[in-house]
Amino acid sequence: MTIAVRTLDDGAWISVNDSRQVSVSDVWTLSHGSFCECEPAYVLLEGFFGVDVSGSVVVADTVGRCLECGTQDSIERLPVGRVVDGEFKPYSPEGVQSIVEPGAETD
């Protein structure tokens, strides 16, 4: 089954199958070294600039700022959810995430 993913509203949302699913207003918890040296890093997402499906995982390219140290940078391939039986299941921003490396199997 094909899943349609794209960014909406100048990068404020990720749309999955024409439904707004993930917003930039959340603070995401990232593992040490994924974004900055904070353990863990609490990153406020400021805008999405890309979205893709890698295996069954929906990954986003985004810009964020660490609330602890102030680092602002881009994040490539941040996992934001999974496709299970053709349905999108978002990950909780509070759950610790790491970045999906290009070419990594994510099924």
Side-chain angles (χ1 to χ4, degrees):
M1 172 175 228
T2 302
I3 300 293
V5 294
R6 63 188 175 122
T7 61
L8 293 176
D9 300 330
D10 294 324
W13 287 91
I14 291 177
S15 169
V16 180
N17 289 335
D18 296 322
S19 174
R20 287 176 172 85
Q21 294 289 329
V22 183
S23 169
V24 294
S25 63
D26 291 323
V27 175
W28 286 73
T29 306
L30 302 181
S31 62
H32 177 75
S34 295
F35 184 75
C36 61
E37 294 303 311
C38 294
E39 177 65 45
Y42 297 101
V43 179
L44 174 64
L45 301 186
E46 298 175 338
F48 297 110
F49 59 90
V51 63
D52 196 11
V53 179
S54 178
S56 63
V57 178
V58 176
V59 293
D61 299 328
T62 184
V63 174
R65 178 182 308 271
C66 178
L67 298 179
E68 295 291 322
C69 70
T71 295
Q72 182 178 21
D73 204 352
S74 62
I75 305 167
E76 294 183 2
R77 301 180 58 79
L78 174 68
V80 296
R82 284 183 80 79
V83 178
V84 179
D85 297 326
E87 279 191 51
F88 178 71
K89 305 289 184 186
Y91 292 147
S92 170
E94 295 86 20
V96 177
Q97 300 292 324
S98 21
I99 308 307
V100 175
E101 296 297 326
E105 292 297 318
T106 55
D107 287 326

